[in-house]
Amino acid sequence: MNKNLTPIASAVALLVMAAAMPAYAQQADDAAQKADSKGTDKGQIEQVTISGIRGSLQKSLTQKRNADSHVEVITAEDIGKMPDKNVADSLSRVPGVTIGNAGATEGGFDEADRVSMRGTSPSLTQTLINGHNVASGDWFVLDQSGQVGRSVSYTMLPSELVGSVVVHKSSEASLVEGGVAGSVDIITRKPLDFKKQFTAEATLGAVYADLPGKTDPQISALVNWKNEANTFGILVQAFSEERHLQRQGQEILGYTQIAPGSKIATAHPDLTNVYAPNLINSALFEQQRKRTGGLIDAQFKVSNDFSFDVNGFTSEMKAANYNRSYEFWGAQVINAGAGQSPNPGYTVKNNTLTSATFAPVAGTNYGVYDQISRPDESASSNFVELGTKWRATDSLTFTTKLGTSSGEGKTPTQNVAEWNVGVGAGAGYQLNGIGTAANWNLGATNNASPNTGTTTFGWIFGDQNVDVKDKENWAQVDGEYSADLGALRTVQFGLRYNDHKRSSEGVIGQRPALDGSAGNPANFPQGFQNFPSNFGSGLGSGFPTNVWYYSPGQLAAFNAFTLRDPVTREDWNSEFSVKEKNTAGYLQGNLEGDHWSGNVGLRLVQTKESVVNNVSAPDNAPGAIIGSAFGTFVRQQVNHTYVDALPSLNLKFDLSKDVVARFAASKTMTRPDYSSLAGQVTLSPPAQFGAIGSGSGGNPDLKPITSNNFDTSLEWYFAPRSMVSASVFAMNLTSYVGLGTVTRSYVTSTPDHPANYQADYLLTVPTNTSGNVTGIELAYEMPLGKNFGFATNATFINAYDANNGPLVGASKRTANLSAYFEDERFNARISYNYRSSFYSGLDRSTAFYQAAVGTLAMSLGYKYSEQLAFTLDAQNLNNPTLKYYALSEDQPRAFYKNGRQFYLNAHLKF
């Protein structure tokens, strides 16, 4: 019997539940109102405002119902009462919104990192703070210089700073362009919005993570003051949050096919074109994160007609980490078919060599061991903005915004040692799909100690001085005119200019010192440690666990025997620059009639783009930069200008007092990822004059990503704090970014034609293609009695590109379920979040999918007094295993355990 609900079945189930519960919900709310009200001497009823979880839910639903466009709203009290440590955690419970715990394909960690909407990549969802973009950096080196996207890392945004979050699922002309799928606008608190003249709050607490077994402090504070006239106020917030994390895992780092006609294929024809794993490891990642920063806001109301606001934000995360990867080196042993044949008894499943053993051969490196310490990795994000509001007449109001934002992702140092392990020892492995981690061994190698005859020095690699800078400046003026001409209520118009730059320069790729000192055993570190005794628990068995390693301090000392010259070791492959100058203007009419409202508008956007990427070239090519051990190169600059017209229409119909219908249509756009535009170009020259070369790289000729979006929804607010809704949406991605081939010409010399000439190359690069997303969103929430309640939602999508391939980030099914209890003293909330498998992109030229995963979180609260309350929040309570695979589930890519985290806090009000 098939127990998986189809979208239609799910919709019917929700509607039946909704039909059955309105009377009960109304009775429950009537009882709550009676309990929360009191009589006066005159017999009048004074309604007491419900606060906390219940009040925030009602506020969110009220704002959603009243909006002309399709939005979801989360209020500050809602965030404070959820088991959420950054804004992304809260957004995960919004229909149609999914979160990821990794920036790209580095594998997931224990904290929500990226937000995406409606089955698309996080780069297609725009994140704004107070209506403007925010520059950001990534702490992980592969996200800094490898897969460099436009999405914002939510690890930089603690939930304590938030007043509310508005998720725009349909576009308006007045919204800043940049979100193809939608936008998330994080609204911070404002000084004059506080009820009291003086407010001071603080949260003192600690976090315990069970895998590293560490407890760390968490502190945040808020002070707000405004004058009695409510014409001037100042708000100061600060936070300092430390924590340790540990990720235990196994990674299978790519697959390579056994080539036809190779030695192995000739000896074993059944292995021709079969995929074999490149590397299978035991991976231990440890990190200490320290997030510090704050927000300051000064608000001035000069007169009833003029006010201005100055606000600034800063967040820095220091993210020192140490990664150890102890590996079976399948790519070295099998060597695409040119290496050692497996022993008899190997197995092939779904065109994958799922198990094999290899007899010991003296001198063969069966394993490799990478130890990588990054002691000073960090990321930061900052902005300052001046905003004004001027009521020129009773009918005309102007607002302006002038601001700047900067972000930075830094990896100044990577201390690395690569060792050959299992030398001459033989090896074997067995893949178990994504059920459990693979079994593997390096023969009789002693994995617990480096002091054996099977370990030798290999290499030292790793980029140094990685400093990715992100900066944006903007100026904006908006006007609103109260037209009051029939259905035309108001007219909005405005102009916006911003310039943006993302760049990476001066990267140094280290190697062992030329004098051979790194390979001298006398210089090897002395003494070692071993993986935690619980390593691998819950992942499986039959793989190395008690693995030796050197400490970060030992690696730093050993890396004195390296070459880090900024000229000869310039790693130009990791350098790039993208500059954009964007201008936009819009006109929007806001409409209102009898039981209906909406808006219609047009936004015109001009993008001026300048991309600089590095291209390998012969020494005598014009503009060639020589001297780098990574080869001679030229800096190639490509300029483009694009103009996009973005119409939008939003209509809202009040079918009755409690039922709202919506329809929206719009064209949206964003710009391609930085690495898609400016990724390094690597070339393999043609063998002879007239032949065609090959290569790969970025594509500076990519056009903006555009989509025609349609959205319709029906919402039934059948009782206070209650709603059932269904939405149907479609996105026609008329310009999307996929992988393809292009022919380009580069200056080349060949043995038979040493003089430079323009040769054609067939490059594998990102190209503009198309795609489609269709889906349905279902949501249902209501109270149960006076103190209980629940909310649930589910989203079902179908997403594919022009070649029927998967879209990055598209889970076919996502679902959320949360329940709460709250009275005058106690509150509790439990939440479960699920998403089905999805495609993350390419990693090491191999497909990278994340398997389905569900996470459980909980929050408990106790209000001791109006001035003191306590909360206990738990994340990842079910300790999920994050699983990844390649072309099929018979090709596992990774298994990770991040453990559970517990936050205990005392909340003080003064």
Side-chain angles (χ1 to χ4, degrees):
M1 178 178 179
N2 185 2
K3 297 183 180 180
N4 293 323
L5 290 179
T6 65
I8 294 177
S10 300
V12 171
L14 276 177
L15 291 174
V16 169
M17 290 173 64
M21 296 304 291
Y24 177 74
Q26 187 62 58
Q27 294 170 3
D29 190 74
D30 290 345
Q33 290 186 10
K34 291 178 181 178
D36 288 331
S37 62
K38 61 181 180 181
T40 65
D41 293 340
K42 296 181 180 181
Q44 297 175 336
I45 300 298
E46 178 184 343
Q47 181 65 45
V48 177
T49 300
I50 300 175
S51 60
I53 296 176
R54 294 166 293 172
S56 67
L57 289 174
Q58 182 59 57
K59 183 178 178 181
S60 295
L61 288 180
T62 299
Q63 293 184 44
K64 173 182 173 65
R65 190 200 187 287
N66 293 337
D68 285 340
S69 58
H70 193 176
V71 301
E72 307 284 350
V73 181
I74 305 173
T75 66
E77 189 72 25
D78 208 14
I79 292 173
K81 295 295 184 181
M82 283 185 177
D84 302 326
K85 293 298 111 182
N86 72 39
V87 180
D89 292 318
S90 300
L91 290 169
S92 70
R93 281 173 281 281
V94 172
V97 175
T98 51
I99 61 170
N101 42 25
T105 56
E106 70 268 25
F109 294 97
D110 62 356
E111 183 176 9
D113 192 286
R114 294 300 199 273
V115 169
S116 59
M117 295 173 61
R118 292 184 161 174
T120 61
S121 163
S123 290
L124 305 188
T125 295
Q126 179 171 240
T127 296
L128 306 170
I129 297 183
N130 297 327
H132 62 76
N133 293 306
V134 56
S136 67
D138 291 294
W139 63 263
F140 189 55
V141 65
L142 295 183
D143 297 333
Q144 293 167 354
S145 58
Q147 299 187 41
V148 186
R150 290 184 182 264
S151 58
V152 171
S153 174
Y154 279 68
T155 60
M156 307 298 296
L157 305 175
S159 60
E160 292 88 349
L161 296 178
V162 177
S164 64
V165 181
V166 181
V167 179
H168 294 273
K169 294 183 175 179
S170 62
S171 185
E172 299 180 28
S174 57
L175 294 176
V176 176
E177 76 283 349
V180 162
S183 61
V184 176
D185 195 2
I186 299 169
I187 311 298
T188 61
R189 296 176 176 89
K190 294 296 179 183
L192 298 184
D193 292 341
F194 282 74
K195 294 180 180 180
K196 297 181 180 179
Q197 185 176 355
F198 177 77
T199 302
E201 300 179 5
T203 298
L204 308 177
V207 54
Y208 172 77
D210 65 354
L211 270 189
K214 299 279 189 178
T215 302
D216 296 293
Q218 306 260 302
I219 303 171
S220 64
L222 175 153
V223 176
N224 189 80
W225 177 87
K226 63 179 183 178
N227 61 7
E228 291 186 8
N230 202 42
T231 58
F232 171 71
I234 186 166
L235 166 69
V236 178
Q237 288 183 265
F239 56 87
S240 176
E241 301 168 339
E242 298 182 39
R243 67 188 189 91
H244 286 77
L245 65 87
Q246 182 183 109
R247 185 177 76 177
Q248 301 180 7
Q250 181 185 95
E251 299 162 328
I252 297 89
L253 301 177
Y255 291 81
T256 298
Q257 285 181 288
I258 296 174
S262 64
K263 184 175 70 172
I264 294 177
T266 301
H268 306 277
D270 59 322
L271 294 180
T272 301
N273 287 324
V274 168
Y275 287 92
N278 293 335
L279 294 157
I280 307 176
N281 73 9
S282 293
L284 176 63
F285 179 93
E286 292 179 301
Q287 184 177 49
Q288 182 177 5
R289 296 184 180 182
K290 183 174 182 180
R291 183 171 61 188
T292 58
L295 180 143
I296 185 168
D297 194 316
Q299 203 172 2
F300 303 81
K301 187 177 180 181
V302 179
S303 68
N304 289 333
D305 297 324
F306 182 74
S307 61
F308 66 95
D309 179 278
V310 180
N311 62 88
F313 165 80
T314 182
S315 179
E316 179 186 33
M317 186 166 72
K318 296 180 178 179
N321 61 83
Y322 184 20
N323 190 43
R324 281 135 288 184
S325 178
Y326 189 79
E327 304 160 338
F328 159 64
W329 198 355
Q332 168 79 6
V333 176
I334 299 172
N335 194 17
Q340 182 178 345
S341 291
N343 296 334
Y346 59 81
T347 61
V348 176
K349 183 179 180 181
N350 203 3
N351 203 40
T352 303
L353 186 60
T354 55
S355 69
T357 59
F358 301 89
V361 175
T364 298
N365 294 336
Y366 289 94
V368 65
Y369 188 10
D370 295 333
Q371 299 171 344
I372 308 172
S373 170
R374 307 177 184 100
D376 42 15
E377 271 197 320
S378 65
S380 63
S381 182
N382 313 276
F383 71 78
V384 176
E385 184 183 61
L386 167 65
T388 70
K389 183 176 182 180
W390 174 45
R391 188 175 67 175
T393 69
D394 289 343
S395 301
L396 182 62
T397 301
F398 290 98
T399 60
T400 65
K401 293 181 179 181
L402 183 68
T404 183
S405 181
S406 62
E408 199 167 10
K410 301 175 67 175
T411 303
T413 310
Q414 291 194 88
N415 294 317
V416 179
E418 183 175 86
W419 309 95
N420 298 320
V421 293
V423 179
Y429 72 89
Q430 177 180 313
L431 304 180
N432 302 312
I434 61 170
T436 62
N439 314 111
W440 67 275
N441 63 77
L442 296 179
T445 300
N446 180 5
N447 306 309
S449 172
N451 302 319
T452 68
T454 59
T455 300
T456 63
F457 173 73
W459 195 250
I460 295 176
F461 60 88
D463 281 348
Q464 316 293 307
N465 199 42
V466 178
D467 188 0
V468 178
K469 296 181 179 179
D470 193 39
K471 186 172 180 62
E472 177 161 314
N473 304 304
W474 64 90
Q476 176 177 336
V477 58
D478 298 274
E480 184 170 14
Y481 176 70
S482 298
D484 202 18
L485 297 173
L488 183 60
R489 184 179 58 198
T490 63
V491 176
Q492 290 178 256
F493 53 92
L495 294 171
R496 189 176 195 271
Y497 169 83
N498 73 281
D499 60 72
H500 194 112
K501 180 180 180 181
R502 182 97 168 198
S503 63
S504 172
E505 301 172 352
V507 179
I508 302 169
Q510 71 174 351
R511 61 151 291 159
L514 298 176
D515 61 8
S517 54
N520 184 349
N523 295 325
F524 291 177
Q526 300 299 310
F528 60 90
Q529 302 175 50
N530 293 90
F531 280 13
S533 59
N534 66 345
F535 178 83
S537 177
L539 294 176
S541 61
F543 51 84
T545 56
N546 187 31
V547 177
W548 64 272
Y549 67 88
Y550 295 128
S551 70
Q554 288 174 302
L555 287 184
F558 182 59
N559 273 222
F561 306 109
T562 61
L563 180 60
R564 296 178 176 177
D565 181 78
V567 176
T568 62
R569 299 303 301 175
E570 180 182 2
D571 187 2
W572 49 266
N573 294 297
S574 298
E575 299 174 347
F576 65 90
S577 172
V578 177
K579 297 180 181 179
E580 294 168 345
K581 295 183 177 180
N582 308 314
T583 306
Y586 74 92
L587 181 66
Q588 176 175 310
N590 297 314
L591 312 172
E592 185 172 8
D594 187 16
H595 301 296
W596 70 274
S597 59
N599 57 69
V600 60
L602 177 67
R603 188 177 188 92
L604 291 176
V605 181
Q606 181 191 71
T607 302
K608 290 186 176 181
E609 180 182 85
S610 178
V611 178
V612 177
N613 58 358
N614 297 327
V615 181
S616 60
D619 290 350
N620 55 355
I625 301 173
I626 62 175
S628 170
F630 294 92
T632 300
F633 68 100
V634 295
R635 301 195 193 279
Q636 183 182 68
Q637 180 171 323
V638 178
N639 300 320
H640 286 293
T641 298
Y642 304 102
V643 177
D644 292 279
L646 308 176
S648 61
L649 170 68
N650 291 275
L651 294 174
K652 169 193 168 189
F653 301 94
D654 293 312
L655 303 183
S656 70
K657 181 174 66 72
D658 301 322
V659 180
V660 175
R662 302 181 190 273
F663 172 79
S666 64
K667 183 177 181 179
T668 57
M669 62 89 66
T670 191
R671 292 140 189 125
D673 285 348
Y674 303 110
S675 56
S676 295
L677 290 166
Q680 70 268 22
V681 176
T682 58
L683 300 176
S684 297
Q688 59 188 12
F689 180 76
I692 297 177
S694 62
S696 64
N699 185 358
D701 298 320
L702 285 174
K703 298 177 181 179
I705 301 167
T706 57
S707 178
N708 296 320
N709 299 343
F710 301 91
D711 184 290
T712 184
S713 64
L714 189 65
E715 303 159 5
W716 180 21
Y717 299 87
F718 55 85
R721 304 199 310 276
S722 304
M723 181 202 69
V724 62
S725 68
S727 303
V728 177
F729 60 89
M731 298 175 58
N732 179 16
L733 292 158
T734 54
S735 177
Y736 185 66
V737 175
L739 286 178
T741 57
V742 296
T743 300
R744 295 193 186 140
S745 296
Y746 295 97
V747 176
T748 303
S749 63
T750 57
D752 63 338
H753 198 293
N756 287 340
Y757 72 99
Q758 290 291 126
D760 286 340
Y761 285 77
L762 189 65
L763 301 186
T764 299
V765 298
T767 58
N768 284 111
T769 180
S770 61
N772 282 279
V773 181
T774 57
I776 180 172
E777 295 171 357
L778 308 170
Y780 182 36
E781 61 180 273
M782 63 171 289
L784 297 172
K786 175 186 176 183
N787 303 114
F788 292 89
F790 76 95
T792 184
N793 63 72
T795 303
F796 306 88
I797 70 163
N798 186 25
Y800 53 90
D801 65 16
N803 298 315
N804 289 319
L807 296 187
V808 173
S811 290
K812 289 187 176 181
R813 298 176 301 279
T814 59
N816 303 282
L817 175 63
S818 62
Y820 66 86
F821 167 83
E822 183 180 50
D823 65 12
E824 290 73 17
R825 290 287 183 186
F826 296 94
N827 65 77
R829 191 158 197 159
I830 187 166
S831 300
Y832 181 78
N833 181 53
Y834 168 85
R835 70 179 300 184
S836 63
S837 61
F838 64 95
Y839 176 59
S840 291
L842 291 178
D843 177 69
R844 294 169 176 85
S845 301
T846 304
F848 196 79
Y849 288 83
Q850 181 169 348
V853 64
T855 57
L856 183 67
M858 184 182 69
S859 179
L860 302 174
Y862 172 67
K863 182 179 178 182
Y864 178 78
S865 67
E866 292 297 326
Q867 291 75 38
L868 178 62
F870 300 92
T871 57
L872 174 63
D873 302 322
Q875 298 272 45
N876 299 313
L877 264 178
N878 57 329
N879 192 19
T881 300
L882 304 181
K883 302 178 180 182
Y884 302 81
Y885 59 93
L887 295 177
S888 71
E889 293 186 358
D890 291 315
Q891 293 184 357
R893 286 296 313 272
F895 303 83
Y896 297 116
K897 283 282 191 182
N898 287 291
R900 305 172 181 87
Q901 300 79 41
F902 302 89
Y903 297 80
L904 179 63
N905 291 293
H907 305 273
L908 299 92
K909 296 182 179 181
F910 303 97

